[in-house]
Amino acid sequence: MKKLNALFVALGMLTSAHALAQGTLRYGLESQYPPFESRNAQGELEGFDIELGKAICQVGNFDCKWVESSFDALIPALQAKKFDAINSAMNITEARAKSIDFTKPIYRIPTMLIVKEGEKLQPTAESLKGKNIGVLQGSIQETYAKKHWEAQGVTVTSYQDQNQVYNDMVAGRLDGTLVMSAAGQSGFLDKPQGKGFAFAGKPVEDDTILGSGIGFGLRKGDTRLKQELDAAITKVQSDGTVTKLAAKFFPGIDVSASK
């Protein structure tokens, strides 16, 4: 059995090496999470992660391809070799690291609660008891809310699309959402739909669940690709590309991966 598992790992690495030898890097993403990734009126992919991915492909000499999936299906799809790397604002966490590998952290975004203005709610179980909070299915925000809030009387409702969460908040079916602050700001609060809503309190903290930053997810044992991507990531961090993209998409938010 051990020999068979080793063979599978070796075959997986050879498959990736072959893909990279051909110059193609297939990114997997969930495209309904602005400003990280979404489609514009022309149907083209846009956002922070899209431009970041292109920049990394440029310095790493890859030909970028994009494969879409729901967020909660990204890890299974990666393992099934439908693409080579997850590039979809995925935080590096201990739980995910049991299933996949990651590149070095590229950037970090705080997680915050959005509620109606004037509700005087705070991101604590005590304050949210009896309330219904929407989260993105498969996200670290879902994991955090279920661990810290659900057992103490807070209803946590999961959605496959964060935009559905916003729609239900406006319709009054939800009392708030726990979301990465940059996504909540540009994807909701900055839009007409978000009028009358605001961030509540400070960012929530739990490094075990919320992770050490956002990186690209890779298949276990894909050492060559990790080395090549880590080198490219270091370049776009040191040459100021990540900082420039953050200023464009997340003005006022410090996205540095190190605390």
Side-chain angles (χ1 to χ4, degrees):
M1 182 61 72
K2 290 183 178 179
K3 290 182 178 179
L4 187 59
N5 288 338
L7 177 61
F8 285 145
V9 171
L11 287 173
M13 292 176 67
L14 285 173
T15 299
S16 175
H18 176 72
L20 292 178
Q22 301 304 310
T24 300
L25 175 61
R26 299 171 300 163
Y27 287 126
L29 78 160
E30 190 272 301
S31 64
Q32 301 295 320
Y33 202 60
F36 297 94
E37 47 264 338
S38 60
R39 287 195 176 274
N40 60 25
Q42 291 72 44
E44 301 164 334
L45 287 170
E46 64 179 11
F48 178 89
D49 284 333
I50 306 303
E51 293 196 25
L52 172 67
K54 289 178 180 178
I56 286 174
C57 281
Q58 184 174 4
V59 300
N61 199 29
F62 303 125
D63 177 25
C64 287
K65 303 293 182 184
W66 307 89
V67 181
E68 293 186 49
S69 169
S70 63
F71 190 84
D72 59 327
L74 283 170
I75 289 178
L78 173 69
Q79 294 170 327
K81 300 182 181 179
K82 293 183 178 179
F83 43 78
D84 307 303
I86 296 172
N87 175 10
S88 197
M90 181 171 282
N91 283 270
I92 302 167
T93 67
E94 292 180 9
R96 288 171 178 157
K98 294 177 182 178
S99 302
I100 61 174
D101 287 338
F102 283 94
T103 62
K104 62 181 293 187
I106 309 171
Y107 64 101
R108 176 193 288 267
I109 302 288
T111 289
M112 298 185 72
L113 176 70
I114 296 177
V115 299
K116 277 188 176 182
E117 289 180 329
E119 290 290 319
K120 297 183 180 179
L121 295 174
Q122 293 293 310
T124 65
E126 181 181 17
S127 178
L128 297 174
K129 186 174 182 179
K131 302 297 184 180
N132 189 352
I133 303 300
V135 292
L136 179 65
Q137 186 171 313
S139 68
I140 57 173
Q141 288 74 29
E142 177 189 48
T143 303
Y144 181 95
K146 286 183 175 293
K147 177 181 178 181
H148 291 282
W149 298 345
E150 192 171 53
Q152 299 186 56
V154 181
T155 300
V156 178
T157 304
S158 303
Y159 294 73
Q160 281 198 325
D161 181 346
Q162 182 66 36
N163 292 316
Q164 295 173 357
V165 179
Y166 300 143
N167 290 339
D168 276 4
M169 287 173 62
V170 173
R173 289 186 284 269
L174 291 172
D175 298 293
T177 182
L178 189 66
V179 66
M180 282 199 287
S181 60
Q185 185 68 55
S186 65
F188 183 60
L189 295 178
D190 286 347
K191 295 183 176 181
Q193 183 188 32
K195 185 178 181 180
F197 291 85
F199 287 119
K202 296 181 179 180
V204 296
E205 299 287 345
D206 185 331
D207 284 354
T208 300
I209 293 176
L210 301 180
S212 57
I214 292 167
F216 293 163
L218 306 171
R219 281 185 290 275
K220 283 287 187 181
D222 211 344
T223 307
R224 177 181 173 181
L225 180 55
K226 175 175 168 55
Q227 291 174 341
E228 294 186 356
L229 286 176
D230 279 349
I233 289 165
T234 298
K235 288 181 181 179
V236 298
Q237 287 175 324
S238 61
D239 69 10
T241 298
V242 175
T243 302
K244 290 176 184 177
L245 289 177
K248 175 181 178 179
F249 290 98
F250 320 131
I253 296 177
D254 178 10
V255 304
S256 56
S258 59
K259 285 187 173 180

